[in-house]
Amino acid sequence: MTDYLAAAMAMLGPAQNRYANPAAWDRLHAELDIRMPTDYQTLVDAYAPIQLNGHLYLHHPATERWNLGQDIRDTVLAWSEVSWDDLDPDEDPRLLCGLTELSFGTRNGLWPIAGTDRGETIFLVAEHETAHWLLVEDGEGG
């Protein structure tokens, strides 16, 4: 079985761990009332805040600039204002992720954990907390 965390870190190079701070993660988890996956925390602690490959942004909960908690709150607010009534079945996150309803920043909803300069958003699917599902939205509603 592939160790994807080790593979990603090997590709990115030596970990910097400039802002690694367990207390910052504890505050974020308490504020959001969910826990982020351990592999995600390890990757963020090792490199964030950073823009990878000129596109992918990773924010960190211990920094004021590019703060992960603030980014999550802002993105949840923006996505909560989008109408989801007229989606094709193959683009509906409810069907793709087995969700009974579509919500953002809720205990059983979607949590934005990274994004790109091209508009893509990567969501953690909280409904599947033990399986750590990810959903990637392509920046154009699909």
Side-chain angles (χ1 to χ4, degrees):
M1 183 168 183
T2 302
D3 182 345
Y4 293 106
L5 176 61
M9 293 180 78
M11 179 185 66
L12 295 171
Q16 305 261 332
N17 292 309
R18 293 176 294 167
Y19 299 102
N21 181 341
W25 285 105
D26 290 342
R27 286 189 302 274
L28 181 68
H29 294 148
E31 176 187 331
L32 302 178
D33 194 30
I34 65 161
R35 292 200 60 80
M36 295 292 165
T38 304
D39 286 359
Y40 173 73
Q41 291 179 63
T42 300
L43 192 66
V44 166
D45 273 343
Y47 303 102
I50 193 169
Q51 182 182 15
L52 296 170
N53 196 34
H55 298 291
L56 179 66
Y57 290 98
L58 291 179
H59 294 71
H60 198 286
T63 59
E64 188 172 327
R65 185 172 182 217
W66 285 30
N67 180 271
L68 179 60
Q70 187 62 52
D71 185 63
I72 288 173
R73 286 188 298 278
D74 292 347
T75 307
V76 161
L77 180 62
W79 280 92
S80 295
E81 295 174 354
V82 172
S83 173
W84 298 99
D85 296 332
D86 299 323
L87 291 177
D88 291 330
D90 62 339
E91 293 183 345
D92 191 332
R94 292 167 286 211
L95 298 176
L96 294 170
C97 300
L99 302 172
T100 56
E101 66 179 349
L102 188 57
S103 62
F104 298 89
T106 64
R107 193 78 183 118
N108 296 319
L110 303 177
W111 290 89
I113 61 170
T116 73
D117 64 341
R118 298 178 301 220
E120 295 105 342
T121 304
I122 300 170
F123 293 96
L124 174 68
V125 182
E127 176 81 7
H128 303 287
E129 189 173 334
T130 57
H132 303 297
W133 284 33
L134 295 177
L135 172 72
V136 179
E137 193 283 326
D138 70 8
E140 297 183 15

